[in-house]
Amino acid sequence: MNKGKVWKYGDDVNTDVIFPGKYTYQPMEPAEMAEHAMEDLDPDFAKNVKEGDIIVAGKNFGCGSSREQAATCLKAAGVAAIIAPSFSRIYFRNAINNGLPVIELAEGTDAMQAGDEVGVDFSAGVVEHNGKTYSFPPLPPEVLAILEDGGLIPHVKKVLNT
Amino acid sequence: MGHTFAQKVLAAKAGLDSIDVGQIVEIEPDVCLSHDNTAAIAKKFASIGVERVKDPDKFVIVLDHTVPASEEKYAQNHKEIRDFVDLNGIDKFYDVGIGICHQVLPEKGFALPGRLILGSDSHTTTYGAYGAFAAGVGRSEMAVLYATSKIWLKTPASFKIVIDGELVEPVGAKDLILHIIGSIGADGALYKSVEYTGEAVEKMTLASRMVLSNMAIEMGAKNGVCFPDDKTKDFLDGRAAGDFEPVFADDDAGYEQVLEYDASTLTPQVAKPHTVDNVSPVGDVAGTPIHQGLLGTCTNGRIEDLRMAAKILDGRKVAKGVRLLVLPASQEILLEALSEGIIDTLVRAGALMLNPGCGPCLGAHQGVLAPGEACISTANRNFKGRMGSREAETYLGSPATVAASVVTGVITDPREFF
């Protein structure tokens, strides 16, 4: 079980506030993207986020633009997983494609507060918080394979070379 | 039970007789779009280790997001894209000034009924207005499409949205879609395939249907389709880049939800800061001071939108202290507007004309907002910081509402001008 400190956000966190449009068409490496992560939502996030931290948010996380940097920047910032009742479909795909675990958790997220410790066992499909465990449905095998290979590009490289 | 539009298109692409909701298939899209993000996609593509784009004919690339380049880094980005296009023999390349991708693809005849179109842009849903199954994907996925032409897709459940009655001028498709999004929320159709039907949709122009399909993503939908008819066929006559076979949902298809609306009683609507589903009648915020009006974007930069604004602005002036930015969605629309005298009317009223492109919609250039400023815009998003400062506010409305508001300097119900 991987344990991490919670950053808590509300419903409908959109990709513009996760990674502003003004940077979207500039060439940028993931480490620099991480410096702008959550810039228009929580300016303290990029300064204080630690490797292994977990984002817990409300419904429809990642709505809006398809910009993949909104997933890449959080992965590069060290975020180990995002837990929310639902995700926008493009964000969900982008996160998996960047090797960033996204967990659709129907219950339990309301109780998880900023600074709490949350445990995640992705392969077992279990989230732990304050002594309670919550289970989430496993990803379809073809999608899980992408995540386990570290993202879509390494996954496709592997498939094409075997 | 019959099948929905999504089931029928995805089954056909997968070579299956039928397909269940939730079923995952690996398929080859007919058309793939990328824009200013192509250089970043090309870098991901290079990292896969495949030398050349597998099927260059499948890809359409349009430069539209930061055009023309306002800074050296954008110029470098565009240059890398031109080099990539040349190296891979991508013929369907539209350089700066041709227009916004979501306008250019239909104009060039690539948005066809029954086609599966994927784009590395969330508003790829726009081509649903032509009867295509069109959805957004990410950059990594587009890079893999360059390499293999294949992608996995899950078959979505479907919503049927039935819109009865007819819109009454100056109420338009934008007011309708804002009202729908406001009523079901930013995740109201999350992951669903939306089918827009009913008298109001049938009577709408293709340009108005594009507004509905464009903003399907703002309620979380995977795609939003309007079924093709004679208007679609007439538009595509002489434009269609290839044969096509329209696909219609079966009459007895299974829908997760059927939603009904009445267009005839609808009033002008706005989305208030800072979410697209924060919708109310214009009257509720009438009198709110604005500093800028934006007329254009992939949502409302078409000729009918410019015509509507010109109708209101003819013989009037943009209020003191207010800027009106106008960006036709494409060169074709700009030429049409010039020949109809619309540009003359708008400029005499005090509008500032910008080149076809995305402009300040995503806050990268050409008229971003300062802290404390408010903008009334025909765009599709009003997220915090979207148009520049995170201390600025963006209201979304129809071209008529934008035109009426820039004349008075405050948010105004356009019916006052009719």
Side-chain angles (χ1 to χ4, degrees), chain B residues 163-181 196 200-201 203-213 215 261-270 279 282 299-300 302 304-305 308-309 312 378 396-402 413-415 418:
Chain B
I163 307 149
D164 292 324
E166 197 175 355
L167 294 164
V168 183
E169 195 177 75
V171 178
K174 180 62 158 291
D175 301 298
L176 177 60
I177 192 66
L178 287 176
H179 175 66
I180 293 170
I181 294 166
Y196 297 106
V201 184
K203 287 187 170 160
M204 257 180 213
T205 60
L206 283 165
S208 289
R209 292 177 193 171
M210 288 172 83
V211 179
L212 304 185
S213 294
M215 292 192 69
Y261 294 90
D262 182 2
S264 58
T265 55
L266 190 70
T267 60
Q269 307 283 307
V270 285
V279 174
V282 171
T299 312
N300 280 122
R302 282 171 274 279
E304 67 179 25
D305 304 319
M308 173 58 79
I312 292 173
T378 62
L396 306 177
S398 71
T401 299
V402 169
D413 188 324
R415 290 176 298 176
F418 279 78

Short mmCIF file of all heavy atoms in Angstrom, two decimals, chain B residues 163-181 196 200-201 203-213 215 261-270 279 282 299-300 302 304-305 308-309 312 378 396-402 413-415 418:
data_model
loop_
_atom_site.label_atom_id
_atom_site.label_comp_id
_atom_site.label_asym_id
_atom_site.label_seq_id
_atom_site.Cartn_x
_atom_site.Cartn_y
_atom_site.Cartn_z
N ILE B 163 -35.32 18.74 -28.92
CA ILE B 163 -35.62 20.17 -28.77
C ILE B 163 -36.78 20.53 -29.70
O ILE B 163 -36.62 20.59 -30.92
CB ILE B 163 -34.37 21.03 -29.07
CG1 ILE B 163 -33.19 20.53 -28.21
CG2 ILE B 163 -34.65 22.50 -28.78
CD1 ILE B 163 -31.85 20.71 -28.85
N ASP B 164 -37.93 20.73 -29.10
CA ASP B 164 -39.14 21.07 -29.86
C ASP B 164 -39.20 22.58 -30.12
O ASP B 164 -38.47 23.36 -29.51
CB ASP B 164 -40.39 20.64 -29.07
CG ASP B 164 -40.50 19.12 -28.99
OD1 ASP B 164 -40.13 18.46 -29.98
OD2 ASP B 164 -40.93 18.62 -27.94
N GLY B 165 -40.13 22.95 -30.99
CA GLY B 165 -40.36 24.37 -31.25
C GLY B 165 -39.27 24.97 -32.11
O GLY B 165 -38.42 24.27 -32.67
N GLU B 166 -39.27 26.30 -32.20
CA GLU B 166 -38.29 26.99 -33.03
C GLU B 166 -37.76 28.20 -32.27
O GLU B 166 -38.52 28.87 -31.57
CB GLU B 166 -38.97 27.45 -34.33
CG GLU B 166 -37.99 27.81 -35.40
CD GLU B 166 -38.68 28.14 -36.73
OE1 GLU B 166 -39.91 28.00 -36.83
OE2 GLU B 166 -37.98 28.56 -37.66
N LEU B 167 -36.47 28.45 -32.42
CA LEU B 167 -35.87 29.60 -31.75
C LEU B 167 -36.42 30.90 -32.34
O LEU B 167 -36.61 30.99 -33.56
CB LEU B 167 -34.34 29.56 -31.90
CG LEU B 167 -33.65 28.40 -31.19
CD1 LEU B 167 -32.22 28.21 -31.72
CD2 LEU B 167 -33.63 28.63 -29.67
N VAL B 168 -36.64 31.89 -31.50
CA VAL B 168 -37.18 33.17 -31.96
C VAL B 168 -36.08 34.23 -31.89
O VAL B 168 -35.55 34.50 -30.81
CB VAL B 168 -38.38 33.60 -31.07
CG1 VAL B 168 -38.99 34.89 -31.60
CG2 VAL B 168 -39.42 32.50 -30.99
N GLU B 169 -35.71 34.81 -33.03
CA GLU B 169 -34.66 35.82 -33.09
C GLU B 169 -34.91 36.93 -32.06
O GLU B 169 -36.06 37.34 -31.92
CB GLU B 169 -34.62 36.41 -34.51
CG GLU B 169 -33.36 37.20 -34.79
CD GLU B 169 -33.32 37.72 -36.23
OE1 GLU B 169 -34.05 38.69 -36.51
OE2 GLU B 169 -32.59 37.16 -37.04
N PRO B 170 -33.87 37.38 -31.35
CA PRO B 170 -32.45 37.07 -31.51
C PRO B 170 -31.95 35.89 -30.67
O PRO B 170 -30.74 35.73 -30.50
CB PRO B 170 -31.78 38.37 -31.04
CG PRO B 170 -32.67 38.85 -29.93
CD PRO B 170 -34.07 38.44 -30.33
N VAL B 171 -32.85 35.09 -30.12
CA VAL B 171 -32.41 33.91 -29.37
C VAL B 171 -31.83 32.90 -30.36
O VAL B 171 -32.43 32.66 -31.41
CB VAL B 171 -33.58 33.30 -28.57
CG1 VAL B 171 -33.13 32.07 -27.81
CG2 VAL B 171 -34.15 34.34 -27.60
N GLY B 172 -30.66 32.37 -30.04
CA GLY B 172 -29.99 31.48 -30.98
C GLY B 172 -29.51 30.19 -30.34
O GLY B 172 -29.79 29.90 -29.16
N ALA B 173 -28.79 29.42 -31.14
CA ALA B 173 -28.30 28.11 -30.70
C ALA B 173 -27.42 28.23 -29.45
O ALA B 173 -27.40 27.34 -28.60
CB ALA B 173 -27.51 27.44 -31.83
N LYS B 174 -26.70 29.35 -29.33
CA LYS B 174 -25.83 29.52 -28.16
C LYS B 174 -26.66 29.61 -26.88
O LYS B 174 -26.31 28.99 -25.86
CB LYS B 174 -24.99 30.80 -28.34
CG LYS B 174 -24.02 31.10 -27.19
CD LYS B 174 -23.00 29.99 -27.04
CE LYS B 174 -21.74 30.44 -26.33
NZ LYS B 174 -20.95 31.38 -27.11
N ASP B 175 -27.77 30.36 -26.95
CA ASP B 175 -28.64 30.46 -25.78
C ASP B 175 -29.19 29.09 -25.42
O ASP B 175 -29.29 28.73 -24.24
CB ASP B 175 -29.79 31.43 -26.08
CG ASP B 175 -29.29 32.82 -26.45
OD1 ASP B 175 -28.64 33.44 -25.59
OD2 ASP B 175 -29.53 33.26 -27.58
N LEU B 176 -29.53 28.31 -26.44
CA LEU B 176 -30.09 26.98 -26.22
C LEU B 176 -29.08 26.05 -25.55
O LEU B 176 -29.40 25.39 -24.55
CB LEU B 176 -30.54 26.40 -27.58
CG LEU B 176 -31.09 24.99 -27.57
CD1 LEU B 176 -32.31 24.88 -26.67
CD2 LEU B 176 -31.45 24.57 -29.00
N ILE B 177 -27.87 26.01 -26.07
CA ILE B 177 -26.89 25.07 -25.50
C ILE B 177 -26.46 25.52 -24.11
O ILE B 177 -26.25 24.68 -23.22
CB ILE B 177 -25.69 24.84 -26.47
CG1 ILE B 177 -24.85 23.64 -26.00
CG2 ILE B 177 -24.81 26.06 -26.61
CD1 ILE B 177 -25.55 22.30 -26.05
N LEU B 178 -26.37 26.83 -23.89
CA LEU B 178 -26.05 27.30 -22.53
C LEU B 178 -27.15 26.87 -21.56
O LEU B 178 -26.88 26.41 -20.44
CB LEU B 178 -25.87 28.82 -22.50
CG LEU B 178 -24.58 29.38 -23.13
CD1 LEU B 178 -24.60 30.91 -23.10
CD2 LEU B 178 -23.33 28.86 -22.43
N HIS B 179 -28.39 27.00 -22.01
CA HIS B 179 -29.52 26.60 -21.16
C HIS B 179 -29.45 25.10 -20.84
O HIS B 179 -29.66 24.70 -19.69
CB HIS B 179 -30.84 26.95 -21.87
CG HIS B 179 -32.05 26.47 -21.14
ND1 HIS B 179 -32.42 26.97 -19.90
CD2 HIS B 179 -32.95 25.50 -21.44
CE1 HIS B 179 -33.51 26.34 -19.49
NE2 HIS B 179 -33.85 25.44 -20.40
N ILE B 180 -29.15 24.30 -21.85
CA ILE B 180 -29.06 22.84 -21.63
C ILE B 180 -27.93 22.52 -20.65
O ILE B 180 -28.11 21.75 -19.69
CB ILE B 180 -28.86 22.09 -22.98
CG1 ILE B 180 -30.11 22.24 -23.86
CG2 ILE B 180 -28.52 20.62 -22.75
CD1 ILE B 180 -29.94 21.74 -25.29
N ILE B 181 -26.76 23.11 -20.87
CA ILE B 181 -25.61 22.83 -20.00
C ILE B 181 -25.92 23.31 -18.57
O ILE B 181 -25.62 22.62 -17.59
CB ILE B 181 -24.33 23.52 -20.54
CG1 ILE B 181 -23.93 22.88 -21.88
CG2 ILE B 181 -23.17 23.40 -19.53
CD1 ILE B 181 -22.91 23.67 -22.67
N TYR B 196 -28.66 15.12 -30.77
CA TYR B 196 -29.57 16.28 -30.75
C TYR B 196 -30.63 16.08 -31.83
O TYR B 196 -30.29 15.92 -33.02
CB TYR B 196 -28.82 17.57 -31.07
CG TYR B 196 -27.74 17.97 -30.10
CD1 TYR B 196 -26.40 17.83 -30.44
CD2 TYR B 196 -28.05 18.55 -28.87
CE1 TYR B 196 -25.39 18.25 -29.58
CE2 TYR B 196 -27.04 18.96 -27.99
CZ TYR B 196 -25.72 18.81 -28.35
OH TYR B 196 -24.72 19.22 -27.50
N ALA B 200 -36.50 22.00 -33.57
CA ALA B 200 -35.59 23.15 -33.54
C ALA B 200 -34.26 22.82 -34.23
O ALA B 200 -33.68 23.67 -34.92
CB ALA B 200 -35.33 23.58 -32.09
N VAL B 201 -33.78 21.58 -34.04
CA VAL B 201 -32.51 21.19 -34.66
C VAL B 201 -32.69 21.05 -36.17
O VAL B 201 -31.85 21.47 -36.96
CB VAL B 201 -31.99 19.87 -34.05
CG1 VAL B 201 -30.63 19.50 -34.63
CG2 VAL B 201 -31.91 19.98 -32.53
N LYS B 203 -34.73 22.68 -38.02
CA LYS B 203 -34.89 24.00 -38.65
C LYS B 203 -33.61 24.84 -38.60
O LYS B 203 -33.51 25.87 -39.26
CB LYS B 203 -36.03 24.76 -37.97
CG LYS B 203 -37.38 24.18 -38.37
CD LYS B 203 -38.53 25.00 -37.87
CE LYS B 203 -39.83 24.50 -38.50
NZ LYS B 203 -41.01 24.91 -37.74
N MET B 204 -32.65 24.41 -37.79
CA MET B 204 -31.41 25.18 -37.62
C MET B 204 -30.51 25.10 -38.84
O MET B 204 -30.50 24.11 -39.55
CB MET B 204 -30.62 24.55 -36.47
CG MET B 204 -30.67 25.29 -35.19
SD MET B 204 -29.68 24.37 -34.00
CE MET B 204 -30.65 24.75 -32.57
N THR B 205 -29.69 26.15 -39.01
CA THR B 205 -28.63 26.11 -40.01
C THR B 205 -27.54 25.14 -39.52
O THR B 205 -27.48 24.82 -38.33
CB THR B 205 -27.98 27.49 -40.16
OG1 THR B 205 -27.43 27.86 -38.89
CG2 THR B 205 -28.99 28.55 -40.60
N LEU B 206 -26.67 24.75 -40.43
CA LEU B 206 -25.52 23.92 -40.03
C LEU B 206 -24.64 24.67 -39.05
O LEU B 206 -24.09 24.10 -38.11
CB LEU B 206 -24.71 23.51 -41.27
CG LEU B 206 -25.33 22.39 -42.10
CD1 LEU B 206 -24.65 22.32 -43.45
CD2 LEU B 206 -25.23 21.07 -41.38
N ALA B 207 -24.48 25.98 -39.28
CA ALA B 207 -23.65 26.79 -38.38
C ALA B 207 -24.19 26.75 -36.95
O ALA B 207 -23.43 26.66 -35.99
CB ALA B 207 -23.59 28.23 -38.88
N SER B 208 -25.52 26.79 -36.81
CA SER B 208 -26.12 26.73 -35.48
C SER B 208 -25.97 25.35 -34.87
O SER B 208 -25.72 25.20 -33.67
CB SER B 208 -27.59 27.12 -35.54
OG SER B 208 -27.73 28.50 -35.79
N ARG B 209 -26.11 24.31 -35.70
CA ARG B 209 -25.91 22.94 -35.19
C ARG B 209 -24.47 22.78 -34.68
O ARG B 209 -24.22 22.05 -33.72
CB ARG B 209 -26.18 21.91 -36.29
CG ARG B 209 -27.64 21.84 -36.70
CD ARG B 209 -27.84 20.87 -37.84
NE ARG B 209 -29.17 21.02 -38.42
CZ ARG B 209 -29.57 20.44 -39.54
NH1 ARG B 209 -28.75 19.66 -40.22
NH2 ARG B 209 -30.79 20.62 -39.99
N MET B 210 -23.54 23.47 -35.34
CA MET B 210 -22.13 23.39 -34.90
C MET B 210 -21.97 23.92 -33.48
O MET B 210 -21.11 23.46 -32.73
CB MET B 210 -21.22 24.17 -35.87
CG MET B 210 -21.04 23.46 -37.20
SD MET B 210 -20.16 24.46 -38.40
CE MET B 210 -18.46 24.13 -37.94
N VAL B 211 -22.78 24.90 -33.10
CA VAL B 211 -22.71 25.45 -31.75
C VAL B 211 -23.11 24.37 -30.74
O VAL B 211 -22.46 24.19 -29.69
CB VAL B 211 -23.64 26.68 -31.61
CG1 VAL B 211 -23.60 27.24 -30.19
CG2 VAL B 211 -23.26 27.76 -32.62
N LEU B 212 -24.17 23.62 -31.06
CA LEU B 212 -24.62 22.54 -30.17
C LEU B 212 -23.55 21.47 -30.04
O LEU B 212 -23.24 21.01 -28.93
CB LEU B 212 -25.91 21.91 -30.69
CG LEU B 212 -27.13 22.79 -30.93
CD1 LEU B 212 -28.33 21.93 -31.33
CD2 LEU B 212 -27.47 23.61 -29.70
N SER B 213 -22.99 21.04 -31.17
CA SER B 213 -22.00 19.96 -31.15
C SER B 213 -20.70 20.43 -30.51
O SER B 213 -20.07 19.70 -29.73
CB SER B 213 -21.73 19.45 -32.57
OG SER B 213 -22.90 18.83 -33.09
N MET B 215 -20.24 22.55 -28.15
CA MET B 215 -20.30 22.69 -26.69
C MET B 215 -20.78 21.41 -25.98
O MET B 215 -20.95 21.42 -24.76
CB MET B 215 -21.14 23.91 -26.30
CG MET B 215 -20.40 25.20 -26.71
SD MET B 215 -21.08 26.72 -26.05
CE MET B 215 -20.72 26.61 -24.31
N TYR B 261 -36.59 19.71 -24.40
CA TYR B 261 -36.56 21.17 -24.23
C TYR B 261 -37.50 21.82 -25.24
O TYR B 261 -37.80 21.23 -26.28
CB TYR B 261 -35.13 21.70 -24.45
CG TYR B 261 -34.15 21.22 -23.39
CD1 TYR B 261 -33.44 20.03 -23.56
CD2 TYR B 261 -33.97 21.93 -22.22
CE1 TYR B 261 -32.57 19.58 -22.60
CE2 TYR B 261 -33.10 21.49 -21.24
CZ TYR B 261 -32.39 20.31 -21.43
OH TYR B 261 -31.53 19.86 -20.47
N ASP B 262 -37.92 23.04 -24.93
CA ASP B 262 -38.77 23.80 -25.84
C ASP B 262 -38.03 25.07 -26.25
O ASP B 262 -37.78 25.95 -25.42
CB ASP B 262 -40.10 24.14 -25.15
CG ASP B 262 -41.04 24.89 -26.09
OD1 ASP B 262 -40.67 25.11 -27.27
OD2 ASP B 262 -42.15 25.27 -25.63
N ALA B 263 -37.67 25.15 -27.53
CA ALA B 263 -36.90 26.30 -28.01
C ALA B 263 -37.74 27.57 -28.08
O ALA B 263 -37.22 28.68 -27.93
CB ALA B 263 -36.33 25.98 -29.39
N SER B 264 -39.05 27.42 -28.30
CA SER B 264 -39.86 28.60 -28.61
C SER B 264 -40.02 29.55 -27.43
O SER B 264 -40.30 30.74 -27.61
CB SER B 264 -41.23 28.15 -29.13
OG SER B 264 -41.87 27.34 -28.17
N THR B 265 -39.85 29.05 -26.20
CA THR B 265 -40.02 29.92 -25.04
C THR B 265 -38.70 30.38 -24.44
O THR B 265 -38.68 31.06 -23.40
CB THR B 265 -40.81 29.16 -23.94
OG1 THR B 265 -40.11 27.95 -23.65
CG2 THR B 265 -42.22 28.84 -24.39
N LEU B 266 -37.59 29.99 -25.07
CA LEU B 266 -36.27 30.30 -24.51
C LEU B 266 -35.93 31.79 -24.62
O LEU B 266 -36.23 32.43 -25.61
CB LEU B 266 -35.21 29.47 -25.26
CG LEU B 266 -33.81 29.49 -24.66
CD1 LEU B 266 -33.78 28.72 -23.34
CD2 LEU B 266 -32.81 28.89 -25.65
N THR B 267 -35.29 32.32 -23.59
CA THR B 267 -34.82 33.71 -23.61
C THR B 267 -33.29 33.72 -23.70
O THR B 267 -32.66 32.69 -23.50
CB THR B 267 -35.26 34.43 -22.32
OG1 THR B 267 -34.67 33.74 -21.21
CG2 THR B 267 -36.77 34.45 -22.17
N PRO B 268 -32.67 34.88 -24.00
CA PRO B 268 -31.20 34.93 -24.06
C PRO B 268 -30.57 34.50 -22.73
O PRO B 268 -31.06 34.89 -21.66
CB PRO B 268 -30.92 36.40 -24.37
CG PRO B 268 -32.15 36.87 -25.07
CD PRO B 268 -33.28 36.15 -24.40
N GLN B 269 -29.50 33.71 -22.83
CA GLN B 269 -28.85 33.14 -21.65
C GLN B 269 -27.38 33.57 -21.60
O GLN B 269 -26.76 33.82 -22.63
CB GLN B 269 -28.90 31.60 -21.71
CG GLN B 269 -30.29 31.01 -21.92
CD GLN B 269 -31.13 31.02 -20.66
OE1 GLN B 269 -30.70 30.54 -19.62
NE2 GLN B 269 -32.33 31.59 -20.74
N VAL B 270 -26.82 33.59 -20.40
CA VAL B 270 -25.36 33.77 -20.24
C VAL B 270 -24.83 32.75 -19.25
O VAL B 270 -25.53 32.34 -18.32
CB VAL B 270 -24.94 35.17 -19.71
CG1 VAL B 270 -25.06 36.23 -20.78
CG2 VAL B 270 -25.69 35.54 -18.45
N VAL B 279 -25.28 29.12 -15.42
CA VAL B 279 -26.09 29.80 -16.46
C VAL B 279 -27.33 30.47 -15.87
O VAL B 279 -27.96 29.93 -14.96
CB VAL B 279 -26.50 28.77 -17.54
CG1 VAL B 279 -27.45 29.39 -18.56
CG2 VAL B 279 -25.27 28.21 -18.23
N VAL B 282 -30.07 36.33 -19.36
CA VAL B 282 -29.28 37.57 -19.42
C VAL B 282 -29.82 38.61 -18.44
O VAL B 282 -29.05 39.33 -17.79
CB VAL B 282 -29.26 38.13 -20.86
CG1 VAL B 282 -28.62 39.51 -20.89
CG2 VAL B 282 -28.51 37.19 -21.79
N THR B 299 -16.89 28.48 -31.62
CA THR B 299 -18.30 28.38 -31.26
C THR B 299 -19.16 29.34 -32.08
O THR B 299 -20.20 28.95 -32.62
CB THR B 299 -18.49 28.70 -29.76
OG1 THR B 299 -17.53 27.97 -29.02
CG2 THR B 299 -19.88 28.32 -29.30
N ASN B 300 -18.76 30.60 -32.19
CA ASN B 300 -19.61 31.62 -32.79
C ASN B 300 -18.84 32.62 -33.65
O ASN B 300 -19.01 33.84 -33.49
CB ASN B 300 -20.37 32.40 -31.71
CG ASN B 300 -21.58 31.67 -31.18
OD1 ASN B 300 -21.69 31.42 -29.99
ND2 ASN B 300 -22.51 31.33 -32.06
N ARG B 302 -18.95 32.38 -37.11
CA ARG B 302 -19.41 32.11 -38.47
C ARG B 302 -20.23 33.28 -39.03
O ARG B 302 -20.56 34.20 -38.32
CB ARG B 302 -20.20 30.80 -38.50
CG ARG B 302 -19.26 29.60 -38.48
CD ARG B 302 -19.96 28.29 -38.29
NE ARG B 302 -20.17 27.99 -36.89
CZ ARG B 302 -19.24 27.48 -36.09
NH1 ARG B 302 -18.02 27.22 -36.54
NH2 ARG B 302 -19.49 27.25 -34.82
N GLU B 304 -23.29 33.77 -39.93
CA GLU B 304 -24.58 34.14 -39.32
C GLU B 304 -24.35 34.90 -38.01
O GLU B 304 -25.18 35.72 -37.61
CB GLU B 304 -25.48 32.91 -39.10
CG GLU B 304 -24.98 31.92 -38.07
CD GLU B 304 -25.94 30.73 -37.90
OE1 GLU B 304 -26.70 30.41 -38.84
OE2 GLU B 304 -25.91 30.11 -36.81
N ASP B 305 -23.23 34.60 -37.34
CA ASP B 305 -22.91 35.28 -36.08
C ASP B 305 -22.49 36.73 -36.34
O ASP B 305 -22.90 37.65 -35.63
CB ASP B 305 -21.80 34.53 -35.35
CG ASP B 305 -22.15 33.08 -35.10
OD1 ASP B 305 -23.31 32.81 -34.74
OD2 ASP B 305 -21.29 32.21 -35.27
N MET B 308 -25.52 38.75 -37.39
CA MET B 308 -26.36 39.13 -36.25
C MET B 308 -25.76 40.34 -35.52
O MET B 308 -26.47 41.29 -35.16
CB MET B 308 -26.49 37.92 -35.30
CG MET B 308 -27.18 38.21 -33.99
SD MET B 308 -28.85 38.87 -34.15
CE MET B 308 -29.75 37.37 -34.51
N ALA B 309 -24.43 40.29 -35.32
CA ALA B 309 -23.78 41.40 -34.62
C ALA B 309 -23.90 42.69 -35.44
O ALA B 309 -24.17 43.77 -34.90
CB ALA B 309 -22.31 41.06 -34.36
N ILE B 312 -27.21 44.50 -35.17
CA ILE B 312 -27.36 45.31 -33.96
C ILE B 312 -26.44 46.53 -33.98
O ILE B 312 -26.81 47.62 -33.56
CB ILE B 312 -27.08 44.44 -32.70
CG1 ILE B 312 -28.20 43.40 -32.56
CG2 ILE B 312 -26.95 45.30 -31.43
CD1 ILE B 312 -27.97 42.36 -31.47
N THR B 378 -18.35 35.28 -27.03
CA THR B 378 -19.12 34.22 -27.70
C THR B 378 -18.41 32.88 -27.63
O THR B 378 -18.82 31.92 -28.27
CB THR B 378 -19.37 34.56 -29.19
OG1 THR B 378 -18.10 34.65 -29.85
CG2 THR B 378 -20.15 35.84 -29.35
N LEU B 396 -20.20 34.23 -20.88
CA LEU B 396 -20.40 33.67 -22.22
C LEU B 396 -21.83 33.94 -22.68
O LEU B 396 -22.78 33.76 -21.91
CB LEU B 396 -20.18 32.16 -22.21
CG LEU B 396 -18.85 31.68 -21.66
CD1 LEU B 396 -18.80 30.14 -21.65
CD2 LEU B 396 -17.68 32.23 -22.48
N GLY B 397 -21.96 34.37 -23.93
CA GLY B 397 -23.30 34.63 -24.46
C GLY B 397 -23.33 34.49 -25.97
O GLY B 397 -22.32 34.13 -26.60
N SER B 398 -24.46 34.81 -26.54
CA SER B 398 -24.63 34.70 -28.00
C SER B 398 -24.01 35.92 -28.69
O SER B 398 -23.73 36.94 -28.04
CB SER B 398 -26.12 34.66 -28.33
OG SER B 398 -26.66 35.95 -28.09
N PRO B 399 -23.81 35.85 -30.00
CA PRO B 399 -23.34 37.04 -30.74
C PRO B 399 -24.27 38.24 -30.54
O PRO B 399 -23.80 39.38 -30.43
CB PRO B 399 -23.35 36.56 -32.20
CG PRO B 399 -23.13 35.07 -32.10
CD PRO B 399 -23.87 34.65 -30.86
N ALA B 400 -25.58 38.00 -30.46
CA ALA B 400 -26.52 39.11 -30.26
C ALA B 400 -26.30 39.75 -28.89
O ALA B 400 -26.31 40.98 -28.75
CB ALA B 400 -27.96 38.60 -30.39
N THR B 401 -26.09 38.91 -27.87
CA THR B 401 -25.89 39.45 -26.52
C THR B 401 -24.57 40.23 -26.43
O THR B 401 -24.51 41.29 -25.80
CB THR B 401 -25.91 38.30 -25.49
OG1 THR B 401 -27.19 37.67 -25.55
CG2 THR B 401 -25.66 38.80 -24.07
N VAL B 402 -23.53 39.72 -27.11
CA VAL B 402 -22.25 40.44 -27.12
C VAL B 402 -22.41 41.79 -27.81
O VAL B 402 -21.97 42.82 -27.29
CB VAL B 402 -21.14 39.58 -27.79
CG1 VAL B 402 -19.89 40.42 -28.05
CG2 VAL B 402 -20.80 38.37 -26.92
N ASP B 413 -29.73 42.50 -22.52
CA ASP B 413 -30.59 41.55 -23.24
C ASP B 413 -30.77 42.07 -24.68
O ASP B 413 -31.27 43.19 -24.88
CB ASP B 413 -31.96 41.47 -22.53
CG ASP B 413 -32.83 40.37 -23.10
OD1 ASP B 413 -32.77 40.12 -24.32
OD2 ASP B 413 -33.59 39.75 -22.32
N PRO B 414 -30.34 41.27 -25.68
CA PRO B 414 -30.39 41.77 -27.07
C PRO B 414 -31.81 42.01 -27.58
O PRO B 414 -31.99 42.71 -28.58
CB PRO B 414 -29.70 40.65 -27.86
CG PRO B 414 -29.84 39.41 -27.03
CD PRO B 414 -29.82 39.89 -25.60
N ARG B 415 -32.80 41.48 -26.90
CA ARG B 415 -34.18 41.71 -27.36
C ARG B 415 -34.53 43.19 -27.29
O ARG B 415 -35.47 43.64 -27.95
CB ARG B 415 -35.16 40.87 -26.54
CG ARG B 415 -35.04 39.36 -26.85
CD ARG B 415 -35.93 38.54 -25.97
NE ARG B 415 -35.59 38.68 -24.57
CZ ARG B 415 -36.27 38.11 -23.57
NH1 ARG B 415 -37.33 37.38 -23.83
NH2 ARG B 415 -35.89 38.27 -22.31
N PHE B 418 -34.52 44.62 -30.72
CA PHE B 418 -35.37 44.00 -31.75
C PHE B 418 -36.82 44.43 -31.59
O PHE B 418 -37.22 44.87 -30.53
CB PHE B 418 -35.26 42.47 -31.67
CG PHE B 418 -34.03 41.96 -32.37
CD1 PHE B 418 -32.79 42.06 -31.77
CD2 PHE B 418 -34.12 41.43 -33.66
CE1 PHE B 418 -31.66 41.62 -32.41
CE2 PHE B 418 -32.98 40.99 -34.31
CZ PHE B 418 -31.74 41.08 -33.69
#
